[in-house]
Amino acid sequence: MPPLTHIAEEIRLAGRALGEFSLGLFNPTVRLGVTGLSGAGKTVFITALVHQLLHGGRLPVFEALASGRIARARLEPQPDDAVPRFDYETHVRALTEERRWPESTTRISELRLVIDYQSARRGARNRTLTLDIVDYPGEWLLDLPLLSTSYARWSRDTLKLSRSGPRAMLAARWHRHLATLNPAAPENEQSALQAAALFTDYLKACRDDRYAMRLLPPGRFLMPGDLAGSPALTFAPLELSAGPVPPGSLAAMMERRYEAYKDVVVRPFYREHFARLDRQIVLVDALAAFNAGPEAVKDLEGALAAILGSFRTGRATFASALFRPRIDRILFAATKADHLHHLSHDRLERFLARMTERAIGQAKFSGATVDVVALAAVRATREATVARGRDKLPAITGTPLAGEAVGRDSFDGETDVASFPGDLPDDPAALFEGFKGLTAAAHETDYRFLRFRPPAGEPGRAETPTLPHIRLDRALQFLLGDRLA
Ligand SMILES: Nc1nc2c(ncn2[C@@H]2O[C@H](COP(=O)(O)OP(=O)(O)OP(=O)(O)O)[C@@H](O)[C@H]2O)c(=O)[nH]1
Ligand SMILES: [Mg+2]
């Protein structure tokens, strides 16, 4: 039996869904969620997508545009007054005028794009599709499974994970403090504060480039925003013995705060944002994991499984005949594919398919269509062949960001170089073990992905600069094609 508050909430959600549904009959709208763990490429993706639609970029696979049926796309004020607007203009200026990547963003934001198009059906009527794009941190998705997890269970799972692989070393200080805590002792603010601080340090250390761990809930511990220092963020796992938690104990205090976190952070996100999405793209930076090594790859796989699981948790937790999360298409996209030679693009895609295979089976079960693609929203490199002795090696060229380095060479941000990032293996299984990441000696690492500056505009092309991309059109076709038919 779900508690009464949940039932009331469901009825409210259902009412709103009906309202939005009837609005949608007259004014077809797609709410597209764009998510990914920090640094995955959300801001760049949305900026590029909007830029391509506004300026009619080269998107051969995106049928509606390629066949000339899109008359016009324009930005309009967004529907939600309390959500920050996605700062498209600033981001696009950074990319095209300053050749700089946009700043990192940690808040949710929204942008509305209205597309006038001609239907492909007989009669070819003029129609309008409203596209609401919602950018939110993937870390928030990793919190959704907490809704159906008790504090005791979460403590157990989190501790177990923190004792495996490279995490064990990173968690050592926190674990030493944990060993001094008695969960049954009277509640104590200082113990809770210290445990939470050490636990947060451990989460931060896991995220370092060298380890590139991604499965790190609760998400708000790493991006607290306004909640920094509040009790809802001042808890940590404890080593609990079986049986009920004694009232007034440290364990009871932690449990109460864990539940507060769900109430203050997770449920509102679910209600206000997640439950209203129609379509979802999940951006994945697989290259950062290849850089870091096999442990990071395994961890990323766990994070993706949890993300896909969250699409199901929503259903299980709030299952009712009246209201269900309505996401019917989910696209997993490996970003930054321009760091690889095109021979490796298919391999990157196969790798992502393999990573999400089990989870995708489950998502199908819940009625959504899922696909994978390897893309670059903004292509910062070109391809070249470089002769080395008698061999011709496939390489990529671009302008490395100022400060990037390979061995003893460091770059000034103005000079083009050719680089050999390392080819992906034909069999994705090889990316789960047996290769060397950044914690190995520099000359031993198997992959080294330099970060490049955004591309220079093509000389002689005035007004609106075009942004080159890889397979962005395929993503658009999957996400919107049927709605523009
Ligand atoms: N070469 C290349 N680099 C990219 C691309 N997309 C993103 N990047 C790189 O990845 C970095 C992060 O991209 P963002 O779009 O800011 O990622 P985000 O997911 O919005 O990150 P947060 O806001 O920090 O969560 C950028 O600064 C670029 O260095 C791409 O298409 N090609
Ligand atoms: Mg961002």
Side-chain angles (χ1 to χ4, degrees):
M1 219 7 228
L4 210 54
T5 48
H6 288 191
I7 294 175
E9 175 153 300
E10 280 195 31
I11 292 175
R12 221 157 47 77
L13 285 169
R16 190 186 57 196
L18 270 178
E20 289 185 348
F21 177 73
S22 49
L23 261 178
L25 285 182
F26 299 105
N27 186 5
T29 301
V30 171
R31 245 181 122 76
L32 171 66
V34 177
T35 198
L37 300 164
S38 70
K42 302 176 285 294
T43 305
V44 172
F45 175 83
I46 296 175
T47 308
L49 180 155
V50 172
H51 188 269
Q52 300 284 357
L53 289 176
L54 288 181
H55 302 292
R58 278 203 52 220
L59 302 166
V61 177
F62 184 39
E63 188 272 331
L65 189 76
S67 64
R69 291 193 293 106
I70 293 188
R72 192 165 86 104
R74 59 187 186 276
L75 294 174
E76 276 199 0
Q78 67 195 51
D80 299 288
D81 293 332
V83 179
R85 179 175 182 276
F86 180 86
D87 193 359
Y88 168 73
E89 292 77 8
T90 305
H91 298 325
V92 108
R93 214 175 309 126
L95 276 176
T96 58
E97 288 173 25
E98 299 163 36
R99 283 189 74 194
R100 188 170 65 65
W101 299 106
E103 307 278 325
S104 168
T105 42
T106 46
R107 298 186 308 179
I108 189 162
S109 67
E110 182 176 81
L111 191 68
R112 169 167 280 190
L113 191 75
V114 176
I115 304 172
D116 297 326
Y117 70 101
Q118 204 171 48
S119 162
R121 304 207 180 94
R122 264 195 302 160
R125 298 242 309 273
N126 290 330
R127 294 172 193 267
T128 299
L129 180 73
T130 302
L131 176 63
D132 286 330
I133 303 174
V134 186
D135 169 358
Y136 67 94
E139 283 75 4
W140 297 7
L141 275 185
L142 293 180
D143 278 353
L144 285 182
L146 301 184
L147 286 177
S148 52
T149 307
S150 69
Y151 173 68
R153 171 81 195 277
W154 173 75
S155 275
R156 210 166 51 234
D157 294 350
T158 305
L159 279 170
K160 187 166 164 218
L161 187 63
S162 73
R163 289 182 175 128
S164 65
R167 286 174 182 250
M169 171 198 54
L170 302 171
R173 270 194 72 208
W174 166 48
H175 284 165
R176 276 200 297 280
H177 178 255
L178 181 70
T180 68
L181 294 178
N182 174 8
E187 66 171 40
N188 178 325
E189 185 70 58
Q190 290 312 312
S191 303
L193 274 171
Q194 207 182 349
L198 291 169
F199 174 55
T200 308
D201 287 347
Y202 148 71
L203 295 177
K204 282 192 184 133
C206 287
R207 205 168 55 166
D208 183 282
D209 275 355
R210 278 171 305 160
Y211 307 102
M213 299 280 157
R214 294 292 179 234
L215 186 55
L216 305 165
R220 237 38 92 81
F221 278 52
L222 291 173
M223 34 178 94
D226 292 346
L227 287 173
S230 68
L233 294 193
T234 310
F235 65 90
L238 287 175
E239 198 91 66
L240 298 172
S241 44
V245 167
S249 64
L250 181 65
M253 180 188 202
M254 296 283 202
E255 182 174 42
R256 194 169 65 238
R257 292 177 171 188
Y258 171 80
E259 292 300 327
Y261 181 84
K262 291 200 232 170
D263 285 339
V264 179
V265 173
V266 190
R267 279 202 184 87
F269 163 65
Y270 182 85
R271 191 171 59 222
E272 300 302 328
H273 304 296
F274 186 72
R276 295 167 63 201
L277 299 174
D278 301 301
R279 305 245 153 128
Q280 177 67 56
I281 178 166
V282 180
L283 303 175
V284 181
D285 183 359
L287 304 186
F290 299 155
N291 247 347
E295 291 291 344
V297 170
K298 281 181 210 141
D299 184 82
L300 181 62
E301 185 184 30
L304 290 178
I307 284 180
L308 260 166
S310 70
F311 293 106
R312 268 159 44 94
T313 317
R315 281 167 201 270
T317 315
F318 290 82
S320 87
L322 279 175
F323 179 79
R324 294 227 154 103
R326 53 195 193 186
I327 295 175
D328 62 349
R329 282 182 180 231
I330 306 172
L331 181 61
F332 279 86
T335 53
K336 314 182 195 179
D338 57 329
H339 286 84
L340 293 166
H341 194 267
H342 75 263
L343 295 172
S344 286
H345 294 167
D346 287 339
R347 295 176 181 176
L348 180 59
E349 217 160 272
R350 280 211 297 283
F351 167 78
L352 189 63
R354 156 86 192 247
M355 288 268 252
T356 45
E357 163 175 279
R358 223 171 338 146
I360 284 178
Q362 294 174 352
K364 289 214 178 102
F365 179 68
S366 70
T369 313
V370 187
D371 202 0
V372 296
V373 63
L375 59 77
V378 174
R379 175 177 202 157
T381 65
R382 294 162 193 268
E383 294 192 345
T385 329
V386 175
R388 217 180 239 184
R390 259 192 258 148
D391 292 334
K392 286 216 164 97
L393 296 177
I396 54 170
T397 64
T399 321
L401 292 181
E404 285 288 287
V406 172
R408 262 181 254 138
D409 295 333
S410 109
F411 302 105
D412 61 3
E414 302 296 335
T415 321
D416 278 11
V417 303
S419 100
F420 307 91
D423 284 332
L424 298 187
D426 207 29
D427 176 9
L431 286 164
F432 287 83
E433 51 205 322
F435 70 98
K436 290 209 176 68
L438 290 179
T439 41
H443 62 279
E444 287 185 348
T445 54
D446 283 287
Y447 300 101
R448 189 70 188 89
F449 299 105
L450 282 173
R451 292 186 307 144
F452 294 98
R453 284 181 72 184
E458 290 169 35
R461 295 277 290 275
E463 300 122 74
T464 36
T466 50
L467 285 173
H469 66 89
I470 297 170
R471 296 182 181 174
L472 186 60
D473 47 348
R474 246 187 71 191
L476 274 166
Q477 182 62 20
F478 177 79
L479 293 169
L480 297 179
D482 61 324
R483 300 300 301 268
L484 293 167

